[in-house]
């Protein structure tokens, strides 16, 4: 297979339907740039995600795949042409260094006849270069500074370009003579660099530039909007900068770099294009709900005008202060981009804008640090020039890593995160190295050692904080999560219809989103949309019997717009919902076992104890005993029916309580005043029914047995899901705070606490005691009764009727 066919086949696999760079595979990961100014692109993606499979429109990826293949082939071709150009360039494979005065020092060459001569020539200082037919060219340390872009002084930049172009012209003759200050001249033959002479840094930098170029091409193909086009410009500009850095990293003296005469204004223009595209991406297109923001368009247009006019103006016009203009304009555009991002975030609360603003702010800080450091150390000779070159190269790598990371902030690309962080820390370390050398007159080794230790300390101390701030992500704790799962599971078990609302409530408490929307669609699994701005979670599955209707929840903007959703959040949401379903199913199984056991006990009570009481009633020796056993049978019937029924309407239970208490009061010759009001009629499970039944009996029995009262008043009221019970008498009981609560009153407290309420006793004016019970949230979601209230009264003892 030919190399071209193999390359084409590799490109087809890379961007094919199942490839990692296919439009379908990457569009979900890079769609965040389309949602910075509103919900339009996110809504489109959401609509596509929730459509049934048979209704989804088939993506037209044929032409996009062809374009990506073409871009990949073009990028590989450009990388090959660059490598071939550098490999064919003539060079001298010499080792060199700069001394403390900035002079170019070469080691002893093979022309040294003896070891003594080699030792004498070990510190040969190169002062000029000549070639057949070429005059002598004076040279110094500027010859080995590959990049003119980061040369602060205009005069030094012109001297650097003159020396490098003259040296390359003499290399082209095939033979050069090196003139040394303290050693004989040496004439050397010039050879091509070859692919093996490109150095180990060229290929990683070229691969990174190619990757950035491909990523920039994928974004507008996934969704063609103005922000993705701006990201395309950013990626291509920084890919060009990386190509320049790769070309300048080759080994050998001479023959390095790419179009050195145009490099300074061209690379400055690329940096300005990156800053202008950043401003274009973050400039607001809409101002909240007020419509268009025309100043955002004008701001972006001004940025493009500055960036596009800079390179031609400084190349063909006056180049005075080129470096300062480039650095200042780039910093100004980045600062405007930060301000525009802050304005857009206030208008939309989009967490992706917040993360992007942090990226831009980090880039601006590093840019200002590098700029200030190079300006402060511009006059330092010697190794400071090499450190400055490393700092500028690390800045380019840092900017490229941020661009690579931007589309994947919610996809847990930890390698990209660490790469961006390390590149930024390395840029800071080299800048601090220069500052130490300039401000404290430290030697190269001492300044480098201090800078490295300082950078490592900063990296170890603030790494996690920086990652959290850059990614707008935080670790969620689990203790409160499982507490909420248990509480909501009990609530859902009592009322399964509340499951979707309770599941959405749990997700809201987990992620604190700015908005939660119900979605009546069948979603198979949780997924992150809008590059972390939204999370779709299926919450169906808790209803009993039949197939439950599909349901899901859409969460927008986690932590009120201050963080992004991640794939870890999607997995956490699925697990939490699954645990909620399991908890509901477990409670349902436990309740079913309890119901079966209650039915068995009720049946045994009816068949065994009821039959014996009936026999005793027929054998009673007096009418009073027969009447007592008859009422006991009635109580047993009420108890067994309540145990077997499982659920009882509140109005039915109130009628039974009224009849039971009326019979007890009539037997004790006490007047009972009963009042019942309710704005809804919920179903009472066994637990609340049993608790209220026993509480009412205990309170009335205590009043009948111990107070000597002639009148007992019972008021039961249910309003706005709050149950209140008030039992008062006119007996002789006083000072309830001094009572010793035994099994009776202690049981009242325990049962009311089980219902989530509280109970208090106090004196009833001048005579008697009042017991007040309050249970909030007693009947949420119960059916409302017709009319404002339902009142059941018992004006006379013994009456069993009810009026509404």
């Amino acid at each position: 297979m030919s190399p071209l066919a193999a390359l084409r086949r590799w490109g087809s696999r890379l961007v094919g339907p199942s490839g990692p760079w296919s439009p379908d595979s990457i569009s979900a990961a890079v769609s965040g740039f389309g949602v910075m100014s509103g919900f339009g692109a996110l809504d489109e993606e959401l609509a596509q995600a929730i459509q049934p499979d048979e209704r989804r429109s088939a993506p037209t990826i044929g032409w996009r795949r062809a374009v990506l293949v073409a871009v990949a082939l073009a990028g590989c071709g450009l990388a090959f042409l660059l490598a071939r150009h550098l490999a064919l360039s003539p060079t001298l494979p010499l080792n060199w260094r700069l001394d403390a005065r900035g002079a170019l020092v070469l080691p002893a060459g093979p022309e040294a006849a003896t070891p003594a001569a080699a030792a004498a020539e070990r510190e040969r200082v190169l002062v000029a270069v000549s070639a057949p037919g070429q005059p002598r060219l004076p040279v110094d340390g500027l010859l080995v500074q590959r990049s003119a872009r980061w040369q602060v002084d205009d005069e030094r930049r012109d001297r650097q370009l003159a020396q490098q172009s003259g040296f390359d012209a003499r290399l082209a003759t095939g033979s050069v003579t090196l003139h040394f200050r303290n050693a004989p001249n040496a004439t050397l033959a010039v050879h091509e660099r070859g692919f093996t002479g490109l150095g180990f840094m060229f290929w990683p930098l070229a691969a990174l530039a190619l990757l950035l170029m491909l990523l920039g091409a994928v974004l507008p193909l996934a969704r063609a909007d103005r922000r993705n086009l701006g990201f395309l410009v950013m990626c291509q500009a920084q890919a060009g900068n990386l190509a320049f850095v790769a070309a300048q990293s080759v080994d050998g003296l001479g023959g390095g770099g790419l179009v050195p005469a145009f490099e300074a204004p061209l690379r400055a223009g690329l940096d300005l294009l990156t800053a202008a595209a950043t401003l274009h991406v973050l400039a607001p297109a809409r101002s909240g709900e007020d419509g268009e923001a025309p100043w955002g368009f004008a701001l972006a247009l001004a940025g493009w005008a500055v960036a596009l006019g800079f390179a031609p103006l400084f190349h063909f016009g006056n180049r005075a202060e080129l470096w300062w203009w480039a650095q200042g304009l780039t910093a100004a555009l980045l600062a405007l981009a930060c301000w525009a991002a802050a304005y857009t975030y206030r208008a939309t609360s989009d967490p992706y804008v917040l993360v992007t603003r942090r990226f831009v702010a980090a880039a601006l800080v590093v840019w200002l640090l590098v700029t200030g450091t190079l300006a402060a150390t511009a006059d330092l000779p010697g190794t400071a020039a090499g450190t400055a070159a490393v700092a500028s190269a690390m800045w380019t790598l840092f900017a490229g890593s941020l661009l690579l990371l931007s589309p994947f902030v919610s996809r847990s690309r930890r390698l990209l995160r660490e790469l961006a962080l390390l590149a930024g820390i390395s840029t800071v370390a080299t800048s601090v190295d220069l500052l130490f050398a300039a401000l404290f007159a430290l030697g190269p080794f001492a300044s480098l050692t201090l800078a490295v230790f300082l950078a490592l300390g900063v990296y170890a101390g603030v790494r996690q904080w920086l990652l959290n701030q850059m990614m707008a992500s935080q670790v969620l704790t689990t203790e409160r999560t499982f507490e909420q799962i248990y509480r909501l599971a009990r609530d859902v078990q009592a009322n399964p219809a509340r499951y979707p609302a309770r599941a959405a409530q749990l997700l809201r408490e987990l992620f604190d989103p700015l908005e939660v929307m119900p979605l009546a669609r069948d979603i198979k699994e949780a997924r992150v949309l809008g590059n972390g701005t939204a999370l779709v979670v299926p919450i169906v599955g808790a209803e009993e019997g039949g197939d439950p209707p599909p349901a899901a929840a859409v969460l927008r903007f986690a932590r009120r717009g201050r963080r992004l959703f991640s794939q870890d959040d999607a997995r956490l949401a699925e697990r939490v919902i699954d645990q909620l379903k399991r908890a509901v199913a477990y409670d349902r199984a436990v309740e079913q076992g309890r119901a079966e056991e209650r039915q068995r006990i009720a049946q045994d009570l009816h068949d065994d104890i009821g039959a014996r009481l009936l026999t005793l009633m027929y054998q009673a020796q007096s009418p009073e005993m027969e009447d007592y056993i008859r009422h006991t049978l009635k109580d047993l019937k009420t108890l067994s029916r309540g145990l077997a029924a499982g659920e009882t309407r509140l109005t039915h239970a109130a009628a039974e309580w009224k009849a039971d208490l009326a019979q007890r009061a009539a037997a004790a010759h006490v007047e009972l005043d009963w009042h019942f009001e309710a704005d809804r009629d919920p179903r009472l499970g066994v637990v609340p029914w049993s608790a209220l039944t026993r509480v009412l009996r205990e309170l009335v029995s205590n009043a009948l047995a111990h107070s000597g009262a002639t009148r007992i008043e019972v008021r039961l009221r249910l309003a706005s899901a709050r149950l209140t019970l008030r039992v008062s008498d006119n007996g002789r009981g006083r000072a309830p705070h001094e009572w010793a609560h035994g099994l009776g009153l202690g049981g009242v407290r325990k049962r009311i606490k089980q219902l989530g309420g509280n109970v208090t006793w106090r004196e009833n004016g001048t005579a008697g005691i009042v017991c007040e019970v309050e249970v909030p949230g007693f009947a949420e979601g119960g059916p409302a009764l017709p009319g404002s209230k339902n009142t059941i009264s018992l004006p006379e003892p013994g009456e069993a009727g009810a009026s509404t």
Side-chain angles (χ1 to χ4, degrees), residues 643-663:
L643 289 174
E647 289 185 347
T648 305
R649 287 288 186 185
L650 178 60
T651 52
H652 298 167
E656 292 181 352
W657 295 334
K658 171 190 173 182
D660 177 61
L661 297 181
Q663 182 270 329

Side-chain angles (χ1 to χ4, degrees), residues 25-38:
S25 300
I26 205 168
S27 61
V30 299
S31 58
F33 283 91
V35 300
M36 287 186 177
S37 64

Side-chain angles (χ1 to χ4, degrees), residues 450-506:
L450 286 176
V452 169
F453 274 103
L454 179 62
L456 289 177
V458 171
Y459 176 78
V462 302
R463 171 183 173 275
Q464 190 59 48
W465 180 84
L466 282 176
L467 287 178
N468 286 341
Q469 292 299 314
M470 295 291 286
M471 309 310 300
S473 178
Q474 288 186 345
V475 178
L476 296 174
T477 59
T478 58
E479 180 178 357
R480 187 166 178 266
T481 299
F482 285 102
E483 178 184 348
Q484 295 296 327
I485 289 176
Y486 177 76
R487 180 176 61 83
L488 294 179
R490 299 300 301 270
D491 184 43
V492 171
Q493 190 274 330
N495 192 345
R498 299 177 185 172
Y499 170 74
R502 290 296 182 256
Q505 177 186 347
L506 179 60

Side-chain angles (χ1 to χ4, degrees), residues 511-585:
F511 301 110
D512 191 22
L514 193 64
E515 183 182 5
V516 178
M517 299 187 308
L519 187 66
R521 294 295 180 92
D522 187 12
I523 303 298
K524 301 300 182 184
E525 60 182 9
R527 65 182 68 179
V528 178
L529 300 179
N531 204 8
T533 57
L535 178 66
V536 181
V537 183
I539 59 175
V540 71
E543 289 80 0
E544 293 186 76
D547 295 328
V554 181
L555 285 67
R556 294 182 191 261
F557 305 157
R559 286 191 60 214
R560 316 298 295 177
R562 294 189 297 273
R563 69 178 290 266
L564 293 172
F565 291 108
S566 65
Q567 293 299 319
D568 292 337
D569 292 333
R571 289 189 288 268
L572 174 64
E574 285 187 335
R575 292 175 181 175
V576 166
I577 294 298
D578 182 66
Q579 289 298 322
L580 179 59
K581 292 178 182 178
R582 291 174 181 267
V584 172

Side-chain angles (χ1 to χ4, degrees), residues 348-360:
T348 64
S349 299
D350 190 337
Y352 197 86
V353 179
L354 181 64
V355 174
T356 307
R357 186 185 69 178
R358 290 171 179 171
F359 282 0
V360 178

